[in-house]
Amino acid sequence: MTGMKLGQYVYGDSLIHRLDPRTKIICCILAVISVMASVNLYYLLCLLLLMVTAIVSARLNPKFIFKAIYQIKTLLLITLLFQAFLTPGKAVLTIGTITMTREGLALGSINILRLIILFMGSLILLMTTTPMKLSIGIECILRPLEKINIPVHNFATILSISFRFLPTLFEEASIIRNAQKSRGSQFDSPELMVKIKSYAAIVIPLFEASLSRAGDLGEAMDSRCYTSHPNQLRMNSLKMKGQDVLALVSVSVIVLAVIPVSILMK
Amino acid sequence: MSEGIEVINVTKQYNVFAMEKIEALKDINLSISKGEYVGLLGMNGSGKSTLARLFNGLLKPTKGRVYINGIDTADPVNLPEVRRLVGMVFQNPDNQLVCPIVEEEIAFGPENMELPLEEIRRRVDWALQVCGLEGKRHHAPHLLSGGQKQMAALSSVLAMLPEYLVLDEPTSMLDPQSRRALLDQIYKLNKQEGITIILISHNPEDLLQADRLIVLDQGSICLEGVPRKVHANAKIKELGLDAPSLYQLIDHLESNKFPVPESIKSIPELVEHICLEL
Amino acid sequence: MPGIIEINHLSHIYAEGSPYEVEALKDITLSLERGEFLGLFGPNGSGKSTLIQHLNGLIRPQQGSVIVCGKDASNSRLSRDLWKKAGLVFQYPEHQIFQISVYDEVAYGPRNLKLPESAVNERVNEALQQVGLTQENITQLPPAALSGGMRRRVAVAGMLAIQPEILILDEPMAGMDSVGRNMILDIIKKRQERHETTVMVSHSLKEIMTLTDKIAILDSGSLAFSGKVKDLLGKPEILAHYHFELPEYLQIVYEIAAKGFDIKTDISSIREAGEEISKLQKIRKDADYLLPGQYNSW
Ligand SMILES: Nc1ncnc2c1ncn2[C@@H]1O[C@H](COP(=O)(O)OP(=O)(O)O)[C@@H](O)[C@H]1O
Ligand SMILES: Nc1ncnc2c1ncn2[C@@H]1O[C@H](COP(=O)(O)OP(=O)(O)O)[C@@H](O)[C@H]1O
Ligand SMILES: [Mg+2]
Ligand SMILES: [Mg+2]
């Protein structure tokens, strides 16, 4: 369950929360591009500052962000070590046949910085946007793909039904678990067979319930003339406002700055 | 074109496993005219849900025909029109709400009918207001109570402006307050909006407000008529369906030489009558 | 002598410290004697399910104490085995069935008690008998082949086979037709005759008021009422506030009384109500006969 908490939406009412999900998604994509395109330390520090500003203005708990970054520490460490040992250059440390180089360390640090920036960006997106808004945003952005016969709408329907029923499913699972415990199921038994049987007592009814729900849902949708047809009200529930334009323009400027910066720094 | 619902010689069989067949409905004949409030009563397994699903073409009759305003439900071409005419509310409030937000749920039907956005907005506003759900417009369905979920299901059907409303045991999973609210709402829709109601229940108390009661037993219609007449029939007790206590009380009063007019259908009406007589 | 259930100043908070915190129970004090039947009422979300999950050890008390059959539910070692003493049947138990045959399903509890197979067999048959599933070959059928009402019976039998000292039912009659409802009421009546304890969460006062020894009403986690049915009937403001549906005959008699007629309200059947109303009419007619015209001034 602790895994689920990572990047979970946190209710809030800041400027960042109020931005259109499309704005936030596009900003994130822009950030990814600029992070990929640049190796300049100062430029990356600028982006880091941008992320920190976003976190502060969204009033996210910094402690939580640090904790989240700490959770990917192994990934960061591996990146650093790989770069440090595999990049040729001036040796700092030699272990057997492999050597750690100064250039490698520098490159590794920059890559860590890049990863952290990307990670922070996606955390900000997830923590300030409800899953529903996020999926509408993705659907709107992918909309043009319908022109080349990719069924974006069906995909979006599946996504939205999952969002609708995920909480119900969790609730159901916890009720069934408690009900089986009341009949003596031992979920913490040391015997493997007993344990497996106990979990079967959850999974089977859960599966049955989902099947019957799928049947019911099908009937309810058919009764209301379901056709796989884009959802106008949903599409129109999003509105770009002044703040969105402002955010997009400023992020674009920062991102585009990568070009002159990298030319100048050469 | 004839208005109303016509069920003509309908038999419905289910195939279970390879060979076995269950006859859920046997040679049903039934007609329901526009504006009626019909109660469909029967024990679990008597075929009520099967009949309900025949009304809007979710099921096709094995034999016989079902006509809605003269339109044959067995022809797939007619299905969109049939389903617009006949709205369905089901038993389980959780399993009939499809969308992650109440407002979208109500727009679901009109969206599928490919109405213009303005019209969709108007209908959503109207349906929310009729069912008293304005405050829940932007909520997620799983955060509503059972009664509110069922109201949301009702209003999502109303947004399609159906002429007939079929409700399959809509109250059986609700607490008493929500049940009362839903029944009052249904009555209001019948009287004020003129929507024809077919309310299904295994509980006779739910069907007190119906103009006509149809009792199903093992796939056949075994009794039909004004609720008080139906409950006065000895046959209904054999089915295990106790008369609503209101009627039992009226029976006792009448056997004590205290006549009660047939028009009385609710407790306040009876109390008023008694007080006038006293 | 202490009761079979002793709840003292019990409070419970879900997800404490998070933005989703819910105070589900607030300072509940309640007790029940052996052999009594408690009816637990309250609107949706008032904490009924939370309260009964304390009784069989699923939730351990955060604050206050719960003692069931003399065992302290806050002791983790004792509360683990509480399910054997207090059998809790959840809402819609037919959705928790998972075995391939009715027999195995009902036998699941007794087998978890580590009883020998012969004893299990005996208990299964007895339990199926109690819920009225007496057809010859029913034990070998897959539960999936049964209707919803039948599956509910199988699930209830599964708990009865554990033979708990306290049977706790969470809205067992929801969605059942009259035959199924009467089956549940019969089980409770038989338990009362055998001096066994039952707790039932319900929404329908009129259905169980003639059986209950005690009624408790929860509202937003607090105990709004606890006492005998008689005491509750004497509190019309509580009845009205929680939209309790009294039996129709009582509603009518109360309303007639409220209109200023002198009618006996302490009655317990439809027949009596009919008689009372007719009596009133007779008095009225006699009076009319003696003093014509007097009632215009009423
Ligand atoms: N999908 C199905 N497949 C096979 N048999 C079914 C199916 N649906 C219903 N039945 C059977 O048809 C009969 C009538 O069921 P139903 O219409 O659901 O009754 P009710 O709604 O009155 O409880 C029952 O015997 C039931 O077992
Ligand atoms: N596992 C849980 N986690 C968080 N909140 C819960 C949980 N279970 C119940 N609640 C909340 O506690 C309150 C009481 O719930 P419950 O005991 O289920 O009430 P009832 O059974 O009377 O409907 C409700 O507000 C409900 O949302
Ligand atoms: Mg049914
Ligand atoms: Mg509950």
Side-chain angles (χ1 to χ4, degrees):
Chain A
M1 283 309 267
T2 46
M4 271 201 53
K5 297 260 165 62
L6 182 68
Q8 200 182 36
Y9 173 70
V10 181
Y11 179 80
D13 189 31
S14 67
L15 174 71
I16 309 269
H17 281 88
R18 281 193 305 263
L19 281 179
D20 190 290
R22 286 170 296 185
T23 309
K24 284 186 268 188
I25 295 170
I26 293 173
C27 287
C28 271
I29 294 173
L30 288 174
V32 171
I33 295 172
S34 58
V35 165
M36 289 303 165
S38 163
V39 286
N40 184 291
L41 179 66
Y42 299 105
Y43 180 71
L44 287 177
L45 286 177
C46 270
L47 283 176
L48 186 65
L49 189 68
L50 182 71
M51 294 298 165
V52 171
T53 318
I55 288 171
V56 171
S57 67
R59 290 187 213 108
L60 296 176
N61 189 348
K63 222 161 70 196
F64 191 88
I65 307 279
F66 282 126
K67 252 195 209 155
I69 294 175
Y70 186 72
Q71 281 182 1
I72 58 163
K73 59 184 183 298
T74 349
L75 178 71
L76 298 179
L77 199 66
I78 290 174
T79 313
L80 179 70
L81 291 182
F82 254 82
Q83 296 281 348
F85 283 105
L86 296 181
T87 317
K90 202 171 154 208
V92 197
L93 177 75
T94 308
I95 308 166
T97 56
I98 51 171
T99 49
M100 185 190 272
T101 65
R102 224 181 108 174
E103 285 78 3
L105 272 180
L107 200 59
S109 312
I110 288 211
N111 276 337
I112 284 188
L113 189 56
R114 279 171 152 175
L115 279 178
I116 288 179
I117 292 170
L118 291 181
F119 188 63
M120 282 167 101
S122 45
L123 274 184
I124 295 167
L125 177 64
L126 291 175
M127 291 174 73
T128 61
T129 322
T130 61
M132 193 51 223
K133 280 250 170 78
L134 202 58
S135 81
I136 301 176
I138 295 172
E139 188 182 350
C140 286
I141 290 174
L142 295 182
R143 214 62 209 295
L145 293 181
E146 295 226 300
K147 295 238 159 60
I148 53 168
N149 283 334
I150 294 176
V152 174
H153 176 66
N154 286 353
F155 173 69
T157 306
I158 293 170
L159 208 62
S160 89
I161 289 186
S162 319
F163 281 137
R164 157 76 183 86
F165 285 101
L166 224 48
T168 315
L169 199 69
F170 277 116
E171 208 174 297
E172 244 170 27
S174 111
I175 289 175
I176 295 175
R177 187 190 161 93
N178 279 339
Q180 307 301 20
K181 265 187 171 170
S182 309
R183 295 200 284 162
S185 283
Q186 291 164 300
F187 294 101
D188 48 2
S189 165
E191 288 170 63
L192 188 63
M193 271 323 286
V194 176
K195 217 170 171 168
I196 290 176
K197 186 140 195 204
S198 296
Y199 277 98
I202 297 183
V203 173
I204 294 172
L206 204 57
F207 184 67
E208 249 180 76
S210 305
L211 271 188
S212 92
R213 166 167 313 125
D216 285 359
L217 270 182
E219 282 193 329
M221 289 166 80
D222 276 345
S223 295
R224 283 183 278 155
C225 306
Y226 177 66
T227 50
S228 111
H229 179 78
N231 193 323
Q232 300 176 60
L233 187 71
R234 181 183 297 175
M235 293 301 119
N236 283 283
S237 69
L238 298 185
K239 275 214 187 67
M240 288 276 188
K241 292 188 215 117
Q243 59 199 30
D244 291 293
V245 179
L246 208 65
L248 276 175
V249 169
S250 39
V251 172
S252 304
V253 166
I254 295 172
V255 169
L256 289 178
V258 77
I259 303 167
V261 168
S262 42
I263 294 173
L264 280 179
M265 287 294 165
K266 263 186 194 146
Chain B
M1 205 159 46
S2 62
E3 296 236 299
I5 298 182
E6 293 288 338
V7 178
I8 300 170
N9 298 334
V10 164
T11 295
K12 176 69 197 175
Q13 290 176 342
Y14 289 109
N15 293 328
V16 225
F17 308 120
M19 301 302 292
E20 216 179 315
K21 284 198 167 71
I22 289 182
E23 203 156 74
L25 291 176
K26 296 165 196 150
D27 200 27
I28 300 276
N29 281 291
L30 183 63
S31 68
I32 294 169
S33 37
K34 276 208 72 173
E36 252 192 300
Y37 185 150
V38 176
L40 198 55
L41 181 65
M43 302 295 272
N44 291 348
S46 56
K48 304 182 298 294
S49 300
T50 307
L51 186 54
R53 282 160 178 73
L54 286 168
F55 287 134
N56 81 336
L58 280 176
L59 291 176
K60 282 194 195 59
T62 313
K63 272 186 233 145
R65 283 276 182 277
V66 178
Y67 295 101
I68 312 293
N69 287 356
I71 305 172
D72 186 356
T73 61
D75 188 346
V77 178
N78 295 333
L79 282 184
E81 179 63 7
V82 166
R83 288 182 182 157
R84 193 197 66 73
L85 285 170
V86 185
M88 286 277 272
V89 175
F90 298 90
Q91 177 175 18
N92 189 330
D94 247 316
N95 292 1
Q96 53 185 321
L97 300 178
V98 189
C99 300
I101 291 178
V102 170
E103 176 187 51
E104 281 188 17
E105 184 65 42
I106 295 167
F108 186 83
E111 293 271 11
N112 291 329
M113 290 158 66
E114 307 195 21
L115 296 171
L117 184 61
E118 276 318 296
E119 177 64 16
I120 294 178
R121 287 242 165 82
R122 208 165 28 239
R123 288 193 182 191
V124 170
D125 292 344
W126 173 78
L128 281 171
Q129 184 250 319
V130 165
C131 293
L133 286 171
E134 290 112 324
K136 305 287 173 192
R137 180 186 277 261
H138 298 294
H139 280 227
H142 72 94
L143 297 179
L144 301 181
S145 73
Q148 289 167 340
K149 280 180 197 162
Q150 205 61 306
M151 275 292 183
L154 177 61
S155 70
S156 74
V157 171
L158 287 179
M160 296 173 76
L161 302 183
E163 292 182 14
Y164 306 91
L165 199 53
V166 180
L167 304 108
D168 189 359
E169 306 204 20
T171 58
S172 74
M173 293 172 87
L174 305 186
D175 62 36
Q177 290 102 299
S178 316
R179 171 178 161 269
R180 191 68 259 157
L182 188 71
L183 290 175
D184 288 346
Q185 180 66 28
I186 294 169
Y187 186 69
K188 212 171 82 189
L189 289 171
N190 178 250
K191 288 288 167 283
Q192 291 178 4
E193 310 285 337
I195 300 175
T196 311
I197 304 288
I198 301 165
L199 177 61
I200 297 175
S201 181
H202 59 245
N203 181 1
E205 310 266 351
D206 280 355
L207 305 175
L208 283 173
Q209 289 163 319
D211 301 324
R212 175 156 62 121
L213 213 53
I214 296 171
V215 185
L216 273 182
D217 180 38
Q218 299 181 17
S220 308
I221 295 179
C222 77
L223 280 171
E224 195 177 342
V226 187
R228 240 172 96 183
K229 282 267 164 59
V230 168
H231 283 297
N233 195 313
K235 243 203 239 170
I236 196 159
K237 294 216 176 54
E238 289 165 25
L239 299 181
L241 293 160
D242 290 333
S245 26
L246 179 67
Y247 292 143
Q248 292 185 27
L249 183 59
I250 290 178
D251 266 359
H252 280 291
L253 286 177
E254 296 206 314
S255 65
N256 280 330
K257 304 204 180 58
F258 192 109
V260 178
E262 220 154 71
S263 61
I264 284 178
K265 284 192 203 170
S266 68
I267 291 174
E269 284 170 1
L270 180 61
V271 171
E272 201 176 320
H273 172 74
I274 292 174
C275 291
L276 273 179
E277 286 294 305
L278 286 180
Chain C
M1 201 181 97
I4 192 163
I5 297 175
E6 292 283 350
I7 302 172
N8 269 306
H9 301 289
L10 178 67
S11 298
H12 188 82
I13 301 174
Y14 283 111
E16 191 163 7
S18 84
Y20 304 102
E21 181 176 302
V22 181
E23 209 178 341
L25 293 176
K26 298 172 200 160
D27 196 24
I28 305 284
T29 298
L30 188 68
S31 71
L32 195 67
E33 300 296 322
R34 187 177 290 274
E36 281 187 327
F37 173 26
L38 169 72
L40 189 55
F41 292 84
N44 280 333
S46 56
K48 306 181 295 294
S49 301
T50 308
L51 181 62
I52 55 179
Q53 288 182 48
H54 278 90
L55 301 182
N56 82 335
L58 282 174
I59 304 180
R60 254 186 275 148
Q62 292 172 341
Q63 251 183 55
S65 73
V66 175
I67 293 171
V68 179
C69 299
K71 296 197 165 24
D72 184 356
S74 53
N75 179 327
S76 69
R77 213 166 35 78
L78 295 177
S79 75
R80 276 176 66 99
D81 282 339
L82 219 48
W83 63 272
K84 300 173 185 168
K85 301 274 179 200
L88 170 54
V89 180
F90 275 68
Q91 231 181 322
Y92 301 108
E94 64 272 27
H95 296 161
Q96 291 134 22
I97 287 175
F98 73 104
Q99 299 273 20
I100 28 179
S101 75
V102 168
Y103 184 91
D104 285 336
E105 184 63 36
V106 180
Y108 183 68
R111 280 176 185 158
N112 282 333
L113 288 173
K114 308 264 176 340
L115 294 174
E117 200 57 33
S118 60
V120 170
N121 191 12
E122 209 169 284
R123 285 189 176 203
V124 169
N125 290 330
E126 196 185 320
L128 285 173
Q129 194 110 37
Q130 281 189 60
V131 297
L133 293 174
T134 47
Q135 297 94 308
E136 186 108 359
N137 54 357
I138 195 147
T139 50
Q140 293 319 313
L141 285 180
L146 302 177
S147 70
M150 292 293 212
R151 284 165 59 99
R152 173 90 50 100
R153 289 169 189 235
V154 171
V156 172
M159 187 49 72
L160 292 177
I162 295 175
Q163 299 187 349
E165 286 179 38
I166 307 171
L167 180 67
I168 310 165
L169 302 156
D170 197 349
E171 297 185 34
M173 318 227 257
M176 295 275 262
D177 62 20
S178 52
V179 177
R181 304 168 95 86
N182 288 334
M183 181 272 296
I184 301 277
L185 292 177
D186 279 344
I187 290 177
I188 294 173
K189 272 182 217 156
K190 286 204 191 102
R191 288 183 68 83
Q192 279 182 313
E193 282 162 18
R194 291 194 301 259
H195 204 61
E196 291 170 333
T197 316
T198 313
V199 175
M200 175 162 145
V201 175
S202 170
H203 279 309
S204 173
L205 180 65
K206 66 181 181 191
E207 226 157 21
I208 62 170
M209 61 181 267
T210 50
L211 289 181
T212 49
D213 300 298
K214 198 164 189 180
I215 283 185
I217 304 175
L218 285 181
D219 189 3
S220 337
S222 306
L223 195 61
F225 173 88
S226 96
K228 297 205 178 322
V229 181
K230 246 205 198 122
D231 305 333
L232 181 61
L233 290 182
K235 296 203 162 88
E237 71 284 355
I238 291 190
L239 292 171
H241 185 255
Y242 295 102
H243 297 269
F244 273 130
E245 276 203 10
L246 290 177
E248 279 72 5
Y249 63 87
L250 272 184
Q251 289 183 40
I252 286 175
V253 170
Y254 279 147
E255 279 190 43
I256 292 174
K259 295 214 167 167
F261 292 94
D262 180 25
I263 191 167
K264 196 171 129 204
T265 53
D266 181 23
I267 53 173
S268 58
S269 76
I270 295 179
R271 211 164 45 83
E272 269 183 73
E275 280 164 9
E276 285 302 319
I277 292 171
S278 312
K279 222 190 267 170
L280 208 58
Q281 190 197 22
K282 215 187 252 149
I283 295 171
R284 166 66 211 268
K285 271 195 182 137
D286 294 348
D288 241 0
Y289 175 69
L290 290 173
L291 300 161
Q294 162 124 25
Y295 292 90
N296 294 340
S297 58
W298 269 29

